[in-house]
Amino acid sequence: MKITDKKVALIHYTLKNAGGEVLDSSEGHDPLAYLHGEGNIIAGLESALEGKSAGDKLEVSVEAAEAYGEYDESLVQPIPRSQFGEHDVEVGMQFHADTAVGPRVVTITAIDGDEVVIDANHQLAGEDLNFSVEVVEVRDASEEELDHGHVHGPGGHEH
Ligand SMILES: [Zn+2]
C-alpha cells in the first residue's frame, strides 16, 4: 500500500539541523503515526512521503520556509517587566501568549532592566531541516480518524 491522501502512515524519523545536530528522533519510541494529506506534519516532509510504502527509507531536506517558516524579526518585541507581575522572569522561559499572529508559544530572549524581550518565532524558524525517514507501515484510516483529521491509537491521539 502506498502513502496517499487519507492513508495512515507510521514512520520512524531522525531530524537534524543544517549543522548535523540531532533535534528530534522517534528512535526508542513508537513510530510517529499521521494522517496523510491533512497537514498533520510539516508540508515539505508530507509531500516527500507521497507514494512511498512500508520499508522505504528516504532523506528529506526541507528548507525553512517549508518547515517552520523564515525567522520573522517582527515577532520579537520588548514588553514591560510589569506585565509579568510578581512572576519571576528568566531568559529561556517559555509561555503561551496571544500575539499579533495568534496564540503562540513565546520565549524570553533577553531582559534589560524593565524591558523583557519576547520572541514568538517557532524555535525551529529559520532552520533548514534534514529528516532521515523510514516508513514502517501504511494502513487505511478509520471513519473516526478521517472525521477527526488525525490518527488514533499508538503514535497518534489517545482519546
Ligand atoms: Zn480524534
Side-chain angles (χ1 to χ4, degrees):
M1 188 181 286
K2 288 186 189 309
I3 300 177
T4 54
D5 280 358
K6 304 198 186 306
K7 297 292 186 199
V8 171
L10 282 75
I11 59 170
H12 269 302
Y13 68 93
T14 295
L15 167 61
K16 293 179 182 172
N17 65 14
E21 184 188 349
V22 174
L23 302 174
D24 192 16
S25 177
S26 64
E27 218 163 295
H29 304 281
D30 282 336
L32 172 75
Y34 80 97
L35 184 58
H36 193 78
E38 295 290 322
N40 291 173
I41 60 175
I42 62 172
L45 183 58
E46 186 166 52
S47 59
L49 281 159
E50 176 84 27
K52 302 297 182 200
S53 38
D56 284 351
K57 291 181 180 177
L58 56 159
E59 301 291 322
V60 186
S61 296
V62 184
E63 287 185 15
E66 288 283 297
Y68 293 98
E70 299 291 355
Y71 191 82
D72 183 351
E73 287 291 343
S74 74
L75 295 178
V76 180
Q77 61 179 124
I79 57 175
R81 169 75 179 80
S82 58
Q83 285 205 7
F84 293 89
E86 295 300 306
H87 294 279
D88 286 332
V89 291
E90 254 179 71
V91 171
M93 267 178 53
Q94 293 189 312
F95 55 95
H96 291 268
D98 288 317
T99 72
V101 290
R104 287 279 186 113
V105 174
V106 303
T107 307
I108 295 176
T109 55
I111 300 167
D112 183 12
D114 287 337
E115 204 171 82
V116 176
V117 179
I118 60 168
D119 185 347
N121 283 286
H122 189 281
Q123 283 205 304
L124 294 176
E127 295 258 29
D128 295 333
L129 304 178
N130 297 303
F131 292 89
S132 299
V133 181
E134 179 177 1
V135 180
V136 178
E137 186 188 336
V138 184
R139 65 167 170 83
D140 287 317
S142 69
E143 287 290 320
E144 193 184 44
E145 286 172 329
L146 291 173
D147 203 40
H148 288 201
H150 56 231
V151 174
H152 292 164
H157 286 235
E158 307 286 342
H159 69 172

